[in-house]
Amino acid sequence: MTDLTQRKVGWIGAGRMGLAMATRLARAGCNLVVYNRTRAKAEPLAQHGARIADALADLRDCDIVFAIVSTSSDLEGVLVGPGGLVAGAGRGPRIVVDCTSISLEASAKLRAALAERGVEFLAAPVSGNAKVVKAGKLSFVASGPRHTFDEVEPYLLRMCQGASYVGEGELSRIVKICHNVFLGVVTQSLAEITVLAQKAGVPRHAFLDFMNKSVLGSVFSRYKTPAMVNLDFAVTFTPHLLRKDLDLGLDAGRRFEVPMPLASLARDMVQALIGNGHAEKDFAALLLLEARAAGIELEPENVPVSDGLS
Ligand SMILES: NC(=O)c1ccc[n+]([C@@H]2O[C@H](COP(=O)([O-])OP(=O)(O)OC[C@H]3O[C@@H](n4cnc5c(N)ncnc54)[C@H](OP(=O)(O)O)[C@@H]3O)[C@@H](O)[C@H]2O)c1
């Protein structure tokens, strides 16, 4: 197994995903230095041996820097914006690995800007929420130079159950966008059928118990079951971030001339979720919107149900 102390590794972004992912690397003994805009959110990593940086410039002498922030423009800011990782003169890291969900266009632009500085870029977005990361079930999809993937793979494997290399350039971005379009569509569909079953008289826990045991059950339907049964909508992924991904999917559909009617509807349901005041809840709150539209008020069932992760 690769010695993770050989290279100095930087980490940008200690939000929900970044904190959970960097925690796994730090616990694996990686030589890690972490920057987060809001420093306090990165501080829990110190107990696992990571150093907390005050500025992005403190990560410039790293061999590899991982980033996971919110949107394309946030990523551009931390990497090539004023005061960013490779801003100004002097050397930057050898490799940047980005795990943010961003557009193909933004990714290509960043790859070119980093290449001008001699920095290799691996696009490596992820599937799974922070609890999935903690359970060791995260997945990466990566694209960029094969040799860069090979060098970074041992680090990826400390954070996930599998890393798929899909080719050169920005190919992993479209894979991730497709994945999250499916996430939005599936969640809206799950909300619709759960409300339908309930309105017809079936308790949600009984309905989802069957669905989870059926051929259509999945890791995802299982880990969203506690939220749907007991109405705990503590955020794992925000409606704003899901809307961003559905918009990226619709933009890509236009660019490649692929009709995406279900994605379009799901996007507007997520917009309605935000407009109805649920922006601070988990995106699974699509269930609440659906129930309201069906003319029923949901109550927590207060039934202990497994999320399939813990
Ligand atoms: N949550 C999920 O289930 C999930 C799953 C797969 C992929 N993703 C993707 O992963 C990315 C992060 O998601 P998340 O749920 O971890 O989001 P989050 O909890 O909102 O964290 C966002 C992170 O980005 C930083 N950030 C945002 N804008 C910034 C800026 N302009 N400059 C510097 N730092 C900035 C935040 O810093 P502060 O702490 O200072 O705000 C924070 O560390 C998104 O692209 C999302 O689509 C999320």
Side-chain angles (χ1 to χ4, degrees):
M1 198 174 269
T2 308
D3 176 4
L4 296 190
T5 59
Q6 279 176 352
R7 291 176 180 78
K8 186 174 175 189
V9 176
W11 192 280
I12 303 171
R16 286 179 195 91
M17 294 300 288
L19 182 64
M21 292 163 70
T23 298
R24 288 191 75 92
L25 268 192
R27 280 193 178 150
C30 184
N31 177 5
L32 193 65
V33 51
V34 181
Y35 169 83
N36 194 54
R37 180 178 58 181
T38 310
R39 193 182 197 278
K41 288 197 207 166
E43 275 163 5
L45 285 158
Q47 67 188 292
H48 303 298
R51 274 160 299 127
I52 314 303
D54 288 317
L56 286 162
D58 299 338
L59 275 59
R60 281 183 194 148
D61 66 344
C62 290
D63 300 295
I64 305 170
V65 173
F66 287 85
I68 180 158
V69 291
S70 294
T71 65
S72 302
S73 59
D74 298 322
L75 183 68
E76 202 176 316
V78 295
L79 294 184
V80 298
L85 183 67
V86 301
R91 63 167 285 220
R94 203 157 48 75
I95 298 174
V96 168
V97 181
D98 172 56
C99 306
T100 313
S101 305
I102 63 167
S103 68
L104 288 97
E105 293 79 8
S107 188
K109 201 172 139 201
L110 280 170
R111 184 181 300 282
L114 290 171
E116 277 177 23
R117 306 301 201 94
V119 180
E120 293 171 19
F121 188 54
L122 191 72
V126 294
S127 165
N129 64 26
K131 198 159 181 199
V132 171
V133 178
K134 284 184 199 123
K137 293 190 190 305
L138 187 76
S139 333
F140 284 92
V141 55
S143 61
R146 176 82 215 198
H147 69 267
T148 313
F149 175 75
D150 291 340
E151 182 171 348
V152 167
E153 192 181 19
Y155 295 86
L156 301 181
L157 292 179
R158 298 304 174 98
M159 294 183 273
C160 73
Q161 63 175 359
S164 306
Y165 176 76
V166 291
E168 295 289 327
E170 320 320 320
L171 290 178
S172 63
R173 302 298 187 182
I174 193 67
V175 175
K176 172 60 187 174
I177 289 168
C178 292
H179 171 285
N180 270 30
V181 165
F182 194 46
L183 176 71
V185 170
V186 164
T187 308
Q188 172 60 24
S189 183
L190 201 56
E192 290 175 19
I193 58 173
T194 303
V195 167
L196 175 61
Q198 164 156 1
K199 204 169 177 190
V202 186
R204 295 192 299 282
H205 70 271
F207 174 67
L208 291 168
D209 182 63
F210 166 69
M211 288 300 291
N212 288 335
K213 287 173 179 160
S214 79
V215 294
L216 290 176
S218 66
V219 171
F220 175 72
S221 69
R222 281 187 279 279
Y223 77 61
K224 278 299 171 207
T225 292
M228 295 215 159
V229 170
N230 295 322
L231 308 187
D232 173 4
F233 294 114
V235 175
T236 65
F237 187 45
T238 64
H240 278 116
L241 287 179
L242 180 57
R243 183 185 64 184
K244 168 205 62 164
D245 291 344
L246 286 160
D247 282 336
L248 291 175
L250 293 170
D251 286 348
R254 278 187 279 277
R255 176 174 161 196
F256 292 102
E257 298 201 27
V258 175
M260 302 185 71
L262 293 179
S264 189
L265 283 171
R267 188 264 177 216
D268 281 348
M269 294 312 294
V270 175
Q271 180 63 65
L273 186 68
I274 294 167
N276 277 273
H278 298 298
E280 305 307 320
K281 295 191 176 84
D282 190 66
F283 68 105
L286 281 167
L287 183 78
L288 299 179
L289 210 61
E290 185 62 29
R292 172 67 57 90
I296 57 173
E297 276 302 320
L298 298 185
E299 296 294 336
E301 291 183 343
N302 297 323
V303 175
V305 282
S306 168
D307 64 3
L309 293 175
S310 40

